[in-house]
Amino acid sequence: MPHRRILLIIALAAFLILLGAALWLLLSNRNRAGETLTEVAGTPQPLLPTVLATAAGPEPAASGRETATTPSPTPAIVDRPGEPAAGRDLSLDALPTLKELVARYPELGDLLENVDLADRAQLSAAYEQLVALFAAEGAEGLRVFVSESGILQSLNIDPTYVDFVLAYETGGIAGAAALARQRRLLTEDGLVRIVLVLDTEDLSVVEPQLAAAGAVVLDHYGNEVEIGLPLSQIEAAASSEEALAQLVAIAHLPHVIAVRAPEQIPTGAWLPAGQGAALTLATEWHAAGITGRGVRVGIIDPDGFGGYQNLLGQALPPAERVILAPWLTADELNTATGPHGAACAEIIHAMAPDAELYLAYSGGSARGLAQAVDWLIASGVDIISYSASSIAEPLDGTGPSDEIAAVAQDAGILWVNASGNYAQSHLEMVFTDGDGDGYHEFPDGNELLPIYVAEFTSLGLTWDDNWNGASEDYDLYLMTPTADGRDLETIATSYSLQAGRAGDQPVEAIDIELSPAREYYVAIREDGISRPGRLNLLGWNNEFEYAMPEGSLGSPADAPGVLAVGATYWRDDVLEPYSSQGPTSDGRTKPELTAPTGVDSLSYGEFSGTSAAAPHVAGAAALVLSAFPDLDARQLRDYLTSRALDRGPAGFDNGYGAGRLALQQPPAVRAAPVTAAATIHAVRQSHNESMGGRYGVRLFVDFSVEGLRGQTGAVTARFSDAAGQPLADGNGQFSDGAGHVAVAEPFSPAVDSADISEFPLFMPYDELELPPGEHTVQVVVDVAGSDGAALAFSQPAAFILTMADDSQRLAEVRAVDVVHNVAHDNVAGMDILIDFDTFNFRGETGTLAAYFYFDDANNTPLLDFNDQYRAQDGVVAVGGRFQPGSNRAIYQDFALFMPYAELHMAEGARYNLKLQIVIWDEATGETLTVSEWVPFWFET
């Protein structure tokens, strides 16, 4: 054969091989290790990924404070600061009706008859049809059918557990566990939480049956019992149908009226408190010998008292004056609960240093709250401080939390309650459906309400109906854009049945873990009403696009006799924009008082929210009661409101109440100790600390003082250059009053001889007001008495500080954490959590993206095949936008989610991959920073 023909055949064969390989690659749509797909540089270009979370995450605190406005005396809608959601159709398509569904699927007609789903055979037959309906019509079609056909009533379970079973059906036990974790149904030891409503308060009538069903009793009060069903037991059922059968069997036990998902009562935290004690003149009462001695203050907290043991004898009383509720051990309370209650206790101790504190962990449920009240009444407390409130009650003083507070008041106890942090997440509306599609039209005419969320968020919808026996039916939806951004998908729904039964309440609530970097929308739909109802929507850990501050109270702050407390910033007495306002739904003016917030706390650093305000009032009440022990609760409340400093509109109003807490001068004054002395033992520096969205140096001072009991002294750090010349202050923010840079904090010893350790001071680097370059900075700390005279000085201590050019925009990635095997919206994948800082980028829009590669020497990129998660050049990527609120902004756990399927990896192999984070200025395209490679492995 001639050589030319041989070469032609070889060339043709090679071409066919290459063509076949290319077609195979295109048809298989998978990335494969070892293949050089594209020549790329080691650093990816800042190309905008297709999938971006357009809603900005929580802004870091700005270096300054925005001025809050005085609430309007008439109801008003307040827009959220910033640009509103734009570019999206905020209307919804009508859902199919029950009649339409049955017409499409005639076999469903069998389920419209009286089915007994407690019968295993009937449940199995119904489940098969319901799963088929779910596959054909999706979750929304299924929800319409089960709620309107009577199936949900026959199941007798909360719809949350229907979602749990659907997650099992679509994602196996891992999907069910992910949903349970997202909805806060799963305990740390693997129990699925379920609340049973009984027709009796006698738990013994159902305990044997619960034990036989494998359930563990977690909590019991009144006619409600919270149980835990082991996830391992549900997994052993081997199918979603069997999992549903287990739940239905429990729901149909004798004496079980209803099955509900556990509620989560939010704390009032928006996230030693010397500022509040000095501002309210509590320190003057201390100096007069009035310190709360002989008064017992109960503190109830749903988050807990984590870390309290480290505060005993310092920011809290000594151990013998701190009494714990018996249902947790001291170690459990200290290590297994959150710090919110400890921070509240710190403030009460600062206000009333000799009062006895009774700590009761309530665990976030009404049952726990009632149990705590019973114990505090038996313990003989005089005052209860509760920095939490429910967002799903009638708000007219008659709700479950209000009834619990009334029990304490009937025992002669003054109840002090945070008003709530819901002024920016509240709407009160009459149901409106102009187009007849079943969806409520919000005040702006749209059927979707944009909201901005934190990681854990809650929504509560209530309406005017019988609290037990509600028959007007509404549903609550939480939605987010689909992966392609073209449509919306429902990620959580509350569609409890309101059919006039004894256990039916006019409440729908969603409690869920979310990614703050995504867009979210709320929708409300009627599911059988006889009239347009008055709707009340409240949110916790979120802000609405627009809100109505008026009427935004939580419960039991709305209860008659409860002393509700709003929040004013301690430096200027301006009402905080989040502080919940009255009136109650039955027209009573609330709150009664406001009190300082934004104060220092060893538990939190800066402690803000009405959570910090309420314990100031509880501590002040303890002081008054120790001075006037014959006052009853009403007289004690009147004493405090009569001395308040009127703020806002003249007189008693729904923002400030009677005004800001002020004790005025004490009833008697004693001579102060003649001699005062102090010794500074040590000063420790901790650099690159963040506080309020700013970086700086935190100083911890160990010192002892004598002769200052009941007085207010100050610890001051003064800064100078290498030659000892004081640094000049140019903005009056961190100054010693003489024009020099300094930071000071007050302290008030409760005893004549006090040893104080780890006393904190924080100095932001930018407040040193140094030019760009390297500087040697010295710091000297002094302790002063109540007259301002210094009693002790530390030795000078130096540190080296490099200041960046304030005209250069920069970013720095501090850490990247990849969390595998998570699910969002029933899609399995990985969460990428990024800690990063930005510099000189305030108010600008930046983009952060993760790009994916094979972990090889060539940095071979993963290619996208469906135009979903990709950069402009086809590299697999996912990103999100951010907008810093300060010149130096600090972001923690900025979240990106990458579905495993979008990596497009061939099945049946393990791959070593890596990702890289790029941050750039969206306006200019300038790359601000590129992270190190982050390796991980992935097995299909």
Side-chain angles (χ1 to χ4, degrees):
M1 184 180 291
H3 289 172
R4 181 176 298 176
R5 182 175 298 176
I6 293 173
L7 291 175
L8 181 60
I9 292 172
I10 292 173
L12 180 60
F15 173 76
L16 291 173
I17 291 171
L18 290 173
L19 179 61
L23 288 172
W24 178 80
L25 177 61
L26 289 173
L27 291 173
S28 60
N29 286 348
R30 294 291 185 268
N31 290 296
R32 285 169 174 75
E35 296 179 359
T36 303
L37 302 178
T38 306
E39 291 295 331
V40 296
T43 301
Q45 296 300 308
L47 301 173
L48 189 66
T50 300
V51 176
L52 277 174
T54 57
E59 283 190 359
S63 55
R65 247 185 83 77
E66 295 183 1
T67 302
T69 56
T70 301
S72 167
T74 58
I77 295 178
V78 178
D79 289 331
R80 182 180 186 272
E83 292 296 322
R88 183 175 300 284
D89 181 8
L90 297 184
S91 62
L92 294 167
D93 295 329
L95 294 179
T97 65
L98 177 64
K99 184 177 180 180
E100 290 170 341
L101 290 172
V102 175
R104 293 175 195 172
Y105 313 100
E107 63 274 15
L108 294 176
D110 295 338
L111 299 181
L112 298 181
E113 300 176 2
N114 292 319
V115 293
D116 179 12
L117 296 184
D119 179 81
R120 187 66 181 83
Q122 292 190 54
L123 178 64
S124 179
Y127 186 75
E128 182 178 353
Q129 295 190 51
L130 294 175
V131 169
L133 177 62
F134 174 65
E137 295 285 341
E140 295 304 323
L142 178 67
R143 287 167 182 151
V144 169
F145 184 79
V146 299
S147 61
E148 296 184 15
S149 65
I151 292 293
L152 192 60
Q153 185 170 352
S154 183
L155 289 172
N156 196 36
I157 61 175
D158 189 280
T160 302
Y161 300 105
V162 176
D163 293 344
F164 175 82
V165 172
L166 289 178
Y168 195 167
E169 174 69 27
T170 57
I173 193 65
L179 182 135
R181 197 173 292 110
Q182 184 189 46
R183 303 285 181 89
R184 293 204 271 187
L185 301 177
L186 194 63
T187 68
E188 291 184 0
D189 50 355
L191 298 175
V192 178
R193 302 168 60 203
I194 304 168
V195 175
L196 307 180
V197 182
L198 309 179
D199 61 6
T200 176
E201 296 187 2
D202 184 5
L203 180 61
S204 65
V205 300
V206 293
E207 275 187 309
Q209 294 93 330
L210 291 174
V216 178
V217 174
L218 302 176
D219 184 23
H220 170 235
Y221 188 88
N223 70 330
E224 292 189 4
V225 56
E226 181 173 334
I227 64 171
L229 198 62
L231 187 64
S232 58
Q233 177 178 315
I234 297 174
E235 182 178 12
S239 74
S240 55
E241 179 185 329
E242 288 292 337
L244 177 61
Q246 290 189 31
L247 296 171
V248 172
I250 291 174
H252 286 81
L253 290 176
H255 303 289
V256 174
I257 297 174
V259 174
R260 297 177 184 156
E263 75 269 38
Q264 298 291 335
I265 296 178
T267 61
W270 190 249
L271 210 175
Q275 300 102 324
L279 183 67
T280 60
L281 297 186
T283 51
E284 299 293 325
W285 287 55
H286 301 166
I290 303 170
T291 59
R293 188 178 303 278
V295 177
R296 297 178 177 182
V297 181
I299 306 167
I300 306 175
D301 200 89
D303 183 58
F305 299 86
Y308 86 95
Q309 291 179 344
N310 296 328
L311 308 176
L312 294 174
Q314 300 177 65
L316 293 181
E320 60 269 19
R321 287 198 283 112
V322 177
I323 296 89
L324 310 181
W327 43 86
L328 288 181
T329 67
D331 287 342
E332 288 172 336
L333 191 66
N334 187 60
T335 61
T337 67
H340 182 265
C344 296
E346 286 185 59
I347 292 176
I348 293 174
H349 178 61
M351 294 290 293
D354 286 332
E356 291 185 359
L357 304 185
Y358 288 71
L359 312 185
Y361 171 60
S362 60
S365 71
R367 297 175 306 281
L369 177 62
Q371 182 184 36
V373 168
D374 287 349
W375 175 71
L376 291 174
I377 291 174
S379 300
V381 303
D382 306 291
I383 300 159
I384 286 177
S385 180
Y386 187 48
S387 287
S389 56
S390 170
I391 60 174
E393 298 197 20
L395 304 178
D396 61 1
T398 65
S401 297
D402 302 326
E403 293 176 353
I404 295 170
V407 173
Q409 294 183 76
D410 289 344
I413 297 171
L414 175 66
W415 187 294
V416 180
N417 212 102
S419 67
N421 297 337
Y422 314 132
Q424 294 169 305
S425 55
H426 169 255
L427 288 173
E428 184 177 358
M429 312 153 286
V430 175
F431 180 78
T432 304
D433 183 20
D435 57 6
D437 64 353
Y439 287 104
H440 171 62
E441 289 148 14
F442 286 93
D444 64 350
N446 293 313
E447 293 176 333
L448 290 168
L449 171 69
I451 67 170
Y452 306 85
V453 308
E455 183 177 9
F456 281 102
T457 197
S458 298
L459 294 163
L461 173 68
T462 59
W463 56 93
D464 53 337
D465 202 352
N466 295 325
W467 188 253
N468 287 298
S471 57
E472 303 292 307
D473 201 347
Y474 295 92
D475 298 336
L476 181 64
Y477 294 79
L478 182 63
M479 301 179 177
T480 193
T482 54
D484 59 11
R486 299 171 184 170
D487 204 352
L488 292 174
E489 62 181 344
T490 300
I491 58 172
T493 307
S494 180
Y495 58 108
S496 300
L497 186 65
Q498 285 84 30
R501 300 172 301 174
D504 292 345
Q505 297 178 330
V507 174
E508 299 292 350
I510 293 174
D511 184 74
I512 191 170
E513 181 181 11
L514 298 172
S515 168
R518 300 181 65 181
E519 296 177 48
Y520 296 99
Y521 300 88
V522 173
I524 299 170
R525 178 177 176 269
E526 65 91 2
D527 198 15
I529 60 174
S530 63
R531 55 177 174 79
R534 180 167 294 278
L535 310 178
N536 198 75
L537 181 66
L538 279 172
W540 172 74
N541 248 10
N542 53 60
E543 291 183 17
F544 296 174
E545 184 74 60
Y546 48 86
M548 297 175 179
E550 287 79 7
S552 55
L553 297 164
S555 293
D558 63 313
V562 165
L563 203 168
V565 184
T568 51
Y569 187 54
W570 74 271
R571 289 184 184 274
D572 56 18
D573 276 359
V574 173
L575 188 71
E576 292 285 16
Y578 55 73
S579 183
S580 289
Q581 303 178 27
T584 62
S585 62
D586 60 337
R588 287 174 291 111
T589 302
K590 286 273 185 173
E592 280 74 14
L593 286 172
T594 60
T597 191
V599 298
D600 291 340
S601 159
L602 294 183
S603 296
Y604 277 138
E606 181 177 305
F607 187 21
S608 295
T610 54
S611 275
H616 280 98
V617 174
L623 289 182
V624 174
L625 194 59
S626 67
F628 304 103
D630 294 332
L631 295 181
D632 61 24
R634 181 183 181 86
Q635 292 169 328
L636 183 55
R637 184 175 64 252
D638 292 344
Y639 185 99
L640 293 170
T641 56
S642 66
R643 292 194 164 203
L645 298 180
D646 193 11
R647 295 289 184 262
F652 203 86
D653 63 84
N654 282 307
Y656 293 85
R660 195 262 293 156
L661 173 69
L663 284 166
Q664 309 294 346
Q665 291 299 318
V669 179
R670 64 171 175 83
V674 177
T675 60
T679 303
I680 296 177
H681 304 291
V683 178
R684 181 171 64 84
Q685 301 178 19
S686 180
H687 285 278
N688 295 309
E689 296 273 357
S690 64
M691 184 174 180
R694 308 171 78 181
Y695 271 114
V697 56
R698 194 182 298 274
L699 304 176
F700 297 95
V701 185
D702 296 346
F703 65 101
S704 56
V705 293
E706 294 183 356
L708 291 178
R709 181 181 187 273
Q711 301 181 54
T712 300
V715 180
T716 304
R718 307 173 195 273
F719 295 83
S720 60
D721 61 19
Q725 291 298 314
L727 298 182
D729 171 69
N731 61 12
Q733 295 297 313
F734 286 75
S735 174
D736 62 358
H740 303 145
V741 174
V743 59
E745 294 293 347
F747 68 93
S748 297
V751 293
D752 288 327
S753 296
D755 293 319
I756 302 173
S757 61
E758 299 286 296
F759 187 90
L761 299 170
F762 178 75
M763 172 58 72
Y765 289 140
D766 56 359
E767 291 294 343
L768 297 175
E769 303 182 47
L770 296 169
E774 185 175 283
H775 303 272
T776 298
V777 179
Q778 295 191 78
V779 58
V780 174
V781 174
D782 66 70
V783 176
S786 58
D787 59 358
L791 303 175
F793 295 89
S794 72
Q795 293 296 318
F799 59 89
I800 305 297
L801 179 65
T802 301
M803 300 296 290
D805 183 353
D806 59 9
S807 65
Q808 184 178 5
R809 294 180 174 182
L810 300 171
E812 177 186 2
V813 176
R814 290 181 281 110
V816 180
D817 186 21
V818 178
V819 181
H820 284 285
N821 298 315
V822 298
H824 295 286
D825 305 332
N826 295 322
V827 177
M830 65 179 78
D831 277 338
I832 306 160
L833 307 177
I834 306 103
D835 297 347
F836 67 98
D837 307 333
T838 60
F839 306 83
N840 308 313
F841 204 60
R842 180 176 182 175
E844 303 295 331
T845 299
T847 302
L848 178 151
Y851 297 83
F852 292 81
Y853 299 80
F854 287 103
D855 192 8
D856 58 23
N858 296 322
N859 301 324
T860 306
L862 303 188
L863 294 187
D864 173 72
F865 295 97
N866 61 1
D867 293 332
Q868 295 295 314
Y869 286 71
R870 66 187 299 271
Q872 295 173 12
D873 60 356
V875 176
V876 172
V878 63
R881 293 186 177 92
F882 62 92
Q883 191 173 60
S886 59
N887 285 335
R888 185 166 189 176
I890 304 164
Y891 285 85
Q892 296 284 132
D893 288 342
F894 188 96
L896 302 175
F897 175 69
M898 172 56 71
Y900 286 140
E902 296 297 336
L903 296 176
H904 303 289
M905 307 306 300
E907 297 180 356
R910 171 171 168 159
Y911 298 93
N912 293 320
L913 306 177
K914 60 186 176 185
L915 63 87
Q916 194 168 45
I917 304 297
V918 180
I919 302 176
W920 67 91
D921 182 339
E922 189 163 298
T924 66
E926 175 190 359
T927 299
L928 302 180
T929 191
V930 179
S931 76
E932 300 292 330
W933 294 107
V934 181
F936 65 96
W937 62 267
F938 173 70
E939 185 171 357
T940 58

